[in-house]
Amino acid sequence: MSRQYRTISGEASAEIEVKRSRFRCDLTRVATEEAAREAIARARAEFWDARHHCSAFVLGPAGDPGSMERSSDDGEPAGTAGAPMLEVLRGAELRDVVAVVTRWFGGTLLGAGGLVRAYSDSVRASVEVAPIQRRELVTEVEVTLGEDGYVRAGRLEADLRARGIAVLDVAYAERVTFLLGTPGEPGELAAQIAGLTAGTANTRVHRTTWVDR
C-alpha cells in the first residue's frame, strides 16, 4: 500500500454539451460509501428533471484491503457511463472521491461510443478544475515541552513547519503539547525535537493516521 495518495480538498463541477445533451459532472470528496451514496442522492434530488445520474466513486488508498470502487450506468447502456467515469478517476489517481454525471437528454442518440466519450470528457473537465489535495500516512508523535515551553512554542512550531513536519495540534495548558505527524521514523523526529529544544521536551509515539498535506 502506498504511503500517500491524491484526493480533492473541495467540490468541483463542470458541464459539457454534446449534440444538445448536457452532461454536468459534480466531484465531491467522501470518506465512506454512505457519504458517496448521499452525494449521488443529493444530485438526483437537485437535478430532478434530468434523465440519468450516473456515478463512480473510489474510496481508500490503492492497494488497501479496505479500499472500494463502484460505478453505476443509471439506465444508460451497460458499460457506457459508470465504468468510463471510474477509469477517468483512476487515471487521475484520485481517491476518496465520488463523481456524479447528470445528463439532460437533447433528443439525439449518441451511440455507445459517443456516450463513453461524453461521460469520460465530463469527468475530465471536472477533474481539471478540482482542487487537488495530497494525503499522507504519518505517525503521530506527542511532544510535551519543558517549563520554558511557552517561550519556545512559537519558534518551535515555525521550525517544524519549515522542515515539512505536520503540526496536527497544539495544546496550551500547564505545559505546551504538540501533536506532530511524521512520514519517517519517529526516532528521527525525536532526535530533531531534542536538538530544537536542547533536550527539554518529552516525546511519545501514538498511532499512524492519514493527514492532508
Side-chain angles (χ1 to χ4, degrees):
M1 181 185 69
S2 173
R3 295 185 65 88
Q4 59 179 304
Y5 64 91
R6 285 159 41 101
T7 183
I8 59 177
S9 60
E11 297 182 352
S13 63
E15 186 174 310
I16 65 172
E17 184 173 321
V18 181
K19 295 183 179 179
R20 294 187 297 177
S21 278
R22 291 166 51 209
F23 296 81
R24 174 193 169 100
C25 177
D26 288 283
L27 289 182
T28 305
R29 180 170 170 175
V30 292
T32 65
E33 181 179 5
E34 180 182 8
R37 299 203 180 280
E38 287 176 355
I40 297 167
R42 285 196 301 272
R44 195 180 299 278
E46 181 176 0
F47 306 118
W48 55 268
D49 58 334
R51 178 173 292 189
H52 303 285
H53 300 87
C54 304
S55 60
F57 60 84
V58 286
L59 302 175
D64 186 272
S67 64
M68 177 185 297
E69 297 182 350
R70 296 286 187 273
S71 65
S72 169
D73 295 314
D74 192 38
E76 293 283 27
T80 62
M85 292 168 60
L86 188 58
E87 282 302 313
V88 175
L89 295 181
R90 288 173 179 159
E93 299 181 336
L94 291 178
R95 314 294 297 183
D96 290 349
V97 64
V98 56
V100 184
V101 175
T102 301
R103 181 194 181 189
W104 290 268
F105 183 55
T108 300
L109 296 177
L110 302 183
L115 287 172
V116 169
R117 286 189 296 273
Y119 279 100
S120 299
D121 289 347
S122 178
V123 178
R124 287 193 191 94
S126 189
V127 168
E128 287 177 359
V129 298
I132 303 300
Q133 174 77 61
R134 181 166 61 93
R135 298 268 291 168
E136 189 170 40
L137 186 64
V138 301
T139 300
E140 291 182 346
V141 177
E142 182 182 270
V143 177
T144 302
L145 303 187
E147 294 181 356
D148 61 348
Y150 276 81
V151 176
R152 291 183 179 273
R155 176 61 183 273
L156 177 61
E157 182 172 356
D159 287 341
L160 292 169
R161 294 187 185 278
R163 293 167 184 244
I165 297 169
V167 179
L168 306 179
D169 190 29
V170 185
Y172 291 88
E174 182 179 348
R175 296 291 178 93
V176 181
T177 302
F178 284 79
L179 185 62
L180 308 178
T182 175
E185 290 296 328
E188 296 177 3
L189 176 58
Q192 292 184 62
I193 296 297
L196 292 171
T197 63
T200 62
N202 293 319
T203 61
R204 184 162 65 95
V205 177
H206 282 224
R207 55 173 186 162
T208 56
T209 188
W210 290 96
V211 299
D212 291 348
R213 296 298 299 271

